[in-house]
Amino acid sequence: MAAAGAPVGFIGLGMMGLPMARSLLRRGRHLIACDSSEAARAALAEGAAPEAVRFAAAPAGAADGAEVIVLMLPDSRVVAQVMEGEGGLLAALRPGQLVIDMGSSLPAETQRLAALAAARGAALIDAPVSGSVVKASAGTLAIMAGGDDAAWAKAEPVLRDMGEALIRTGATGSAHAMKALNNYVYAAGLLATAEALRMAEAMRLDLGIFADVLNASSGRNIATETKVKQEILPGRYQGGFQLGLMRKDLETAGAISAETGVEAQALQLCRALWSEAVAALGPKADNTEIHRFLGRAK
C-alpha cells in the first residue's frame, strides 16, 4: 500500500473516474477531488477513510497541495475547459506539478496544453486507459503513457495504483494517438463480428458453434472472445463502453488520418456506420448494440 504523502488531485468522477479514484483510496492515497456532480462526490466519500478525501469547488482547487493531478474527462473540449476556463487548473499550476490526462483526447490538443503547462514550469502528459469499469474497479487497467523520463518517474507510482499493465508510448500525445488507433481496430473487429453474426443467423447457423469456430480460428479477436457469448447472443448488450465514446475515438482516429495524410478507407467506412448507430440508438447505448443496429428493419 502506498504511503499517503502529498494528496493526488483528481478531476472527473464519471463512470471510469469514480472507480479509478476509489482504487487510489484503497492504496492509501489522499485525494483532492473535483466533480460537478453532487452524487459522484457523495459516492466517492462513502466508505472512504476519515479525511482521506476533500473536495475542491473548482478545478484550480485540485492543485492545492497536490504534486500530481489526474484528469479523467470525456474529451478534449472538456479538458480545455477544465484547464483554461474560469477557475481553471492551468492558472493554478506551480513549478514541478504534473497533470495526467487519462481520458481520450486529441493528440494535438494534448500537445498544446502540455506546452502551456510547461510555460508555468509544470508538465502535462497523456495516460489513457484501456479496460472496462470492472477493471477500473479492480485497479487492473491497461494504461498507455506518453511523456519524458522525469514526468514518467513522477507519474508511475500513481498510475500503478490504478493499473496493471503500464506501457510507455513515447512523447506526450503519443499515448492518446495509440489509444484512438487501438480503439479503431477494436471497433472494426466488433463491427465485422456483428455483421458476420447477422449473416450466420440469416443462414440459420448455430451461433454458439459459430462463436466457438471464430475463437478457435483466424477470426478470433477481443470482440469474439469477450462480447459474443457474453453480451450479444443473450441480448444483454452490457459490454460497458458507450456508442458515443466509440464514435469519439473513431473521430480522433479520423483526425490522425487527416493530419498524417493516410487515407484509411476502412476507417472512413467504420466511422460512417458507427455514426449511424449513434444516431439511431443514442450515444449512451452500449457499443455491443452495433449488432442490434445491424439487425434493424430496413
Side-chain angles (χ1 to χ4, degrees):
M1 178 174 291
V8 173
F10 201 106
I11 303 175
L13 301 173
M15 185 169 60
M16 291 290 284
L18 179 59
M20 290 165 62
R22 284 172 169 163
S23 288
L24 292 173
L25 290 175
R26 284 199 308 273
R27 296 300 297 269
R29 295 195 181 271
H30 288 188
L31 300 183
I32 309 167
C34 180
D35 194 281
S36 60
S37 167
E38 182 179 349
R41 297 194 301 270
L44 182 62
E46 184 179 0
E51 300 185 12
V53 183
R54 60 184 171 95
F55 293 98
D64 184 15
E67 295 180 1
V68 174
I69 304 101
V70 172
L71 309 182
M72 191 59 188
L73 300 166
D75 53 37
S76 286
R77 179 188 62 81
V78 180
V79 172
Q81 178 62 32
V82 163
M83 291 290 292
E84 301 175 286
E86 184 177 355
L89 181 60
L90 184 63
L93 290 180
R94 64 180 189 277
Q97 287 185 304
L98 172 67
V99 179
I100 309 176
D101 182 357
M102 300 191 71
S104 299
S105 300
L106 291 165
E109 183 68 358
T110 301
Q111 291 165 346
R112 182 184 74 84
L113 291 173
L116 293 177
R120 296 189 61 83
L124 182 148
I125 67 169
D126 48 333
V129 305
S130 180
S132 62
V133 173
V134 172
K135 289 192 173 183
S137 299
T140 57
L141 291 164
I143 301 174
M144 298 144 268
D148 62 23
D149 290 345
W152 168 252
K154 185 170 289 187
E156 183 182 12
V158 175
L159 297 178
R160 289 206 179 278
D161 284 347
M162 295 180 283
E164 191 170 59
L166 273 57
I167 304 171
R168 292 192 67 185
T169 57
T172 299
S174 63
H176 277 151
M178 290 191 191
K179 168 68 185 294
L181 295 175
N182 171 79
N183 278 18
Y184 156 52
V185 173
Y186 165 69
L190 177 54
L191 177 59
T193 298
E195 288 181 337
L197 286 170
R198 286 299 181 189
M199 288 185 281
E201 180 183 23
M203 293 183 68
R204 301 184 185 278
L205 301 179
D206 185 308
L207 299 185
I209 293 175
F210 180 48
D212 291 338
V213 169
L214 288 171
N215 286 327
S217 307
S218 57
R220 183 176 70 251
N221 60 50
I222 192 67
T224 66
E225 290 181 335
T226 67
K227 300 297 187 286
V228 175
K229 287 190 173 182
Q230 298 88 338
E231 304 297 337
I232 294 175
L233 296 188
R236 277 171 33 93
Y237 300 123
Q238 296 177 23
F241 192 69
Q242 295 177 353
L243 277 178
L245 296 176
M246 182 66 76
R247 178 182 61 181
K248 180 195 68 175
D249 287 337
L250 288 170
E251 292 305 311
T252 300
I256 293 171
S257 169
E259 181 181 340
T260 59
V262 177
E263 191 173 357
Q265 294 181 13
L267 169 60
Q268 307 317 320
L269 292 170
C270 196
R271 285 172 67 190
L273 271 171
W274 282 97
S275 291
E276 288 179 28
V278 171
L281 303 178
K284 293 190 179 298
D286 191 78
N287 73 116
T288 55
E289 293 199 52
I290 190 71
H291 173 262
R292 184 161 70 87
F293 167 75
L294 294 173
R296 71 201 187 285
K298 299 296 179 85

